[in-house]
């Protein structure tokens, strides 16, 4: 039986970060596998025939306050200094999301907008983020009017489409990712570091894997090699419930379906992402040329449809963050702790709604732990 020093399952940022650190810093051999036919997991992008860098699994914007993560990724790429803005199609207008003071002035008559602005600043302060579920408890009739409006127009129907659940039935952190922002800042993220890798994400991952000690095996499922390979250490970034053969039950996930279209015109919409909380069955449309300012007479967009995850039919995209699922995950985690030299990480291994930077941070931390323990 083949013996592998370090076996890594999954070639998204989590697995690839570990592979890179183990090979370059410990000088050890790594075998890294992925069931997909390409590297990069759901961060995979490619250059299409029009010279547009398309994100195959939907729009990915790198943003972080973690200097160590930014510095680490910056050793593999230069950045296009892109700052993400999202507009929502609300009552026939394209308004800034997160809903902010500019959005208020766009959708309400001046007399109402002025009152709301004054009250918001008096109650919460300026430059403050207020999750919608908090704003609903404001205890003032004007602010409650605003909260009801934002809840109904921005969150309720989008969240029903995205998760098949109401905002209050999910962990508050989920809708808290996009709070109401008492500010004139139209950006989606306020992180110190934000950008798109100048040559795309796949090029970053390629560089991270570019080490003679790293052996890459695509089109290879964990179940293909399980029991056939011996390893000193296993880093598993796949679904933790699958690893344990679902013996405690299945962890639920949400999936996405994308319809990609190429339009024969230079631009389709005003910016990279437009959300449609209240219209159509899709949640948002992404237009890819905006990320790296690619110039072309054509433009590529994706219509994004949330769907249930079904084993063998589609991919896992999002863990569904709510208490009962966390409880099930915790029970799997107990089993995981009993295993020697098997580590779980990533969105699926940790069952956490990680952004790319947090997935990388987790892998870097785990590497330090492993290094310390020899
Ligand atoms: N959300 C919403 N309306 C919006 C944008 C976001 O209701 O216009 C809610 C929705 O529940 C969504 C969550 O906020 O799943 C987090 O949004 P984010 O844009 O962070 O989701 P991601 O880009 O990770 O899919």
């Amino acid at each position: 039986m083949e013996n592998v020093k370090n076996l890594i399952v999954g070639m998204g940022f989590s697995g690839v970060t570990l592979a890179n650190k183990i090979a370059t810093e410990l000088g050890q051999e790594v075998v890294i596998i992925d069931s997909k036919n390409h590297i990069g997991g759901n961060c995979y992008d490619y250059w299409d025939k029009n010279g547009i860098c398309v994100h195959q699994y939907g729009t990915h914007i790198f943003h972080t306050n973690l200097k160590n993560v930014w510095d680490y990724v910056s050793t593999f790429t230069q950045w296009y200094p892109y700052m993400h803005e999202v507009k929502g199609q609300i009552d026939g207008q394209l308004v800034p999301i997160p809903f902010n003071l500019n959005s208020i002035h766009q959708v309400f008559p001046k007399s109402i907008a002025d009152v709301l602005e004054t009250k918001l600043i008096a109650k919460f302060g300026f430059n403050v983020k207020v999750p919608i579920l908090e704003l609903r408890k404001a205890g003032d009739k004007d602010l409650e009017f605003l909260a009801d409006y934002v809840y109904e127009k921005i969150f309720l129907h989008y969240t029903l489409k995205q998760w098949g659940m109401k905002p209050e039935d999910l962990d508050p952190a989920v809708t808290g990712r996009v709070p109401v922002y008492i500010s004139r800042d139209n950006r989606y993220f306020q992180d110190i570091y934000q950008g798109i890798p100048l040559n795309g994400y796949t090029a970053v991952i390629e560089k991270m894997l570019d080490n003679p000690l790293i052996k890459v095996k695509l089109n290879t499922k964990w179940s293909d090699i399980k029991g056939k390979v011996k390893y000193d250490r296993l880093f598993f970034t796949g679904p933790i419930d699958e690893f344990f053969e679902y013996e405690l039950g299945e962890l639920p996930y949400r999936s996405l379906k994308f319809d990609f279209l190429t339009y024969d015109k230079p631009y389709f919409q005003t910016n990279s992402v437009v959300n449609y909380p209240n219209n159509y069955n899709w949640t948002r449309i992404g237009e890819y040329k905006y990320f790296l300012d690619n110039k072309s007479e054509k433009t590529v967009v994706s219509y994004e449809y949330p769907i249930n995850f079904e084993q063998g039919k589609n991919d896992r995209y999002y863990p569904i963050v709510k208490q009962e699922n966390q409880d099930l995950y915790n029970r799997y985690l107990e089993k995981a702790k009993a295993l020697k030299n098997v580590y779980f990480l990533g969105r699926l291994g940790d069952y956490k709604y990680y952004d790319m930077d947090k997935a990388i941070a987790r892998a870097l931390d785990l590497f330090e732990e492993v290094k310390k323990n020899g």
Side-chain angles (χ1 to χ4, degrees):
M1 200 185 300
E2 193 187 352
N3 194 62
V4 173
K5 181 100 186 128
N6 298 283
L7 177 60
I8 302 181
V9 176
M11 262 184 254
F13 266 118
S14 302
V16 170
T17 297
L18 262 169
N20 173 264
K21 295 295 275 188
I22 291 171
T24 55
E25 281 195 31
L26 299 184
Q28 292 179 4
E29 281 184 352
V30 176
V31 171
I32 183 164
I33 68 164
D34 201 290
S35 58
K36 291 189 153 105
N37 63 2
H38 59 71
I39 61 174
N42 285 6
C43 301
Y44 174 77
D45 57 14
Y46 62 92
W47 292 83
D48 83 342
K49 58 178 185 297
N50 305 304
I52 298 170
C53 186
V54 178
H55 303 174
Q56 181 155 312
Y57 301 90
T59 57
H60 279 70
I61 300 97
F62 198 90
H63 60 99
T64 191
N65 283 321
L66 302 169
K67 185 175 185 307
N68 67 319
V69 170
W70 179 259
D71 289 347
Y72 174 65
V73 182
S74 300
T75 62
F76 307 102
T77 187
Q78 292 186 303
W79 296 93
Y80 187 72
Y82 171 86
M83 295 228 179
H84 193 41
E85 290 192 18
V86 172
K87 299 285 186 277
Q89 171 67 255
I90 310 294
D91 288 351
Q93 298 204 53
L94 289 176
V95 310
I97 307 275
F99 203 84
N100 64 21
L101 296 177
N102 291 329
S103 321
I104 288 180
H105 285 278
Q106 216 177 317
V107 298
F108 297 119
K110 186 169 185 315
S111 56
I112 296 181
D114 286 345
V115 170
L116 293 173
E117 173 168 337
T118 305
K119 287 204 169 184
L120 276 173
I121 294 170
K123 172 124 185 114
F124 298 102
F126 183 70
N127 227 4
V128 171
K129 294 177 176 175
V130 187
I132 182 60
L133 297 175
E134 287 296 314
L135 188 62
R136 292 189 96 199
K137 303 175 197 153
D140 170 281
K141 74 171 181 3
D142 293 320
L143 293 182
E144 269 168 24
F145 158 79
L146 174 68
D148 286 347
Y149 180 92
V150 174
Y151 178 83
E152 168 70 26
K153 301 284 186 179
I154 311 287
F155 287 97
L156 177 61
H157 304 285
Y158 188 106
T159 303
L160 284 170
K161 280 192 268 190
Q162 172 68 23
W163 302 101
M165 278 186 268
K166 289 185 170 177
E168 55 272 31
D169 297 330
L170 284 157
D171 187 296
V174 175
T175 46
R177 287 167 61 92
V178 188
V180 174
Y181 191 20
I182 308 170
S183 166
R184 294 270 180 178
D185 182 348
N186 283 347
R187 294 171 306 168
Y188 206 62
F189 309 112
Q190 277 66 46
D191 303 56
I192 300 170
Y193 308 104
Q194 350 190 347
I196 308 290
L198 210 50
N199 300 310
Y201 292 98
T202 304
V204 173
I205 300 272
E206 237 161 37
K207 275 206 170 169
M208 292 171 83
L209 292 170
D210 183 18
N211 186 307
L213 291 169
I214 303 178
K215 203 160 141 199
V216 170
K217 289 189 181 178
L218 296 172
N219 303 305
T220 307
K221 293 202 281 284
W222 166 240
S223 59
D224 297 339
I225 63 163
K226 192 180 164 183
K228 296 185 189 141
V229 181
K230 285 212 298 199
Y231 46 79
D232 291 355
R233 279 192 289 249
L234 170 64
F235 299 95
F236 194 83
T237 75
I240 191 168
D241 55 342
E242 184 190 277
F243 182 88
F244 290 107
E245 296 176 349
Y246 307 106
E247 65 175 85
L248 303 174
E250 264 187 67
L251 283 165
Y253 287 90
R254 202 72 176 149
S255 185
L256 297 173
K257 181 175 95 59
F258 292 95
D259 276 351
F260 283 91
L261 283 172
T262 303
Y263 285 110
D264 198 4
K265 54 178 172 180
Y267 289 95
F268 172 74
Q269 58 194 25
T270 56
N271 55 299
S272 64
V273 175
V274 174
N275 287 4
Y276 291 81
N278 306 304
N279 302 95
Y280 310 111
N281 296 331
W282 60 80
T283 47
R284 53 190 172 188
I285 299 179
E287 183 168 4
Y288 291 91
K289 67 191 330 183
Y290 281 108
F291 292 125
L292 290 167
D293 198 19
N294 300 142
K295 299 298 179 199
S296 169
E297 286 311 301
K298 300 194 185 217
T299 192
V300 178
V301 304
S302 64
Y303 292 63
E304 187 169 331
Y305 299 87
I307 48 173
N308 266 331
F309 164 71
E310 288 181 79
Q311 261 186 64
K313 287 203 180 150
N314 47 38
D315 286 339
R316 295 170 174 88
Y317 279 77
Y318 299 91
I320 300 177
V321 188
K322 52 190 291 195
Q323 195 54 51
E324 66 190 82
N325 301 340
Q326 190 59 38
D327 291 343
L328 178 56
Y329 165 76
N330 288 341
R331 292 174 58 213
Y332 276 117
L333 191 60
E334 281 309 308
K335 295 181 71 65
K337 281 184 189 152
L339 295 173
K340 261 190 74 188
N341 296 339
V342 183
Y343 304 87
F344 293 88
L345 71 158
R347 256 195 196 198
L348 310 182
D350 286 336
Y351 200 68
K352 281 220 174 77
Y353 191 169
Y354 286 134
D355 289 330
M356 290 183 278
D357 66 323
K358 299 290 182 346
I360 293 168
R362 161 81 171 120
L364 292 175
D365 287 349
L366 180 58
F367 172 72
E368 292 305 323
E369 199 184 302
V370 166
K371 193 166 95 175
K372 209 168 58 207
N373 298 337

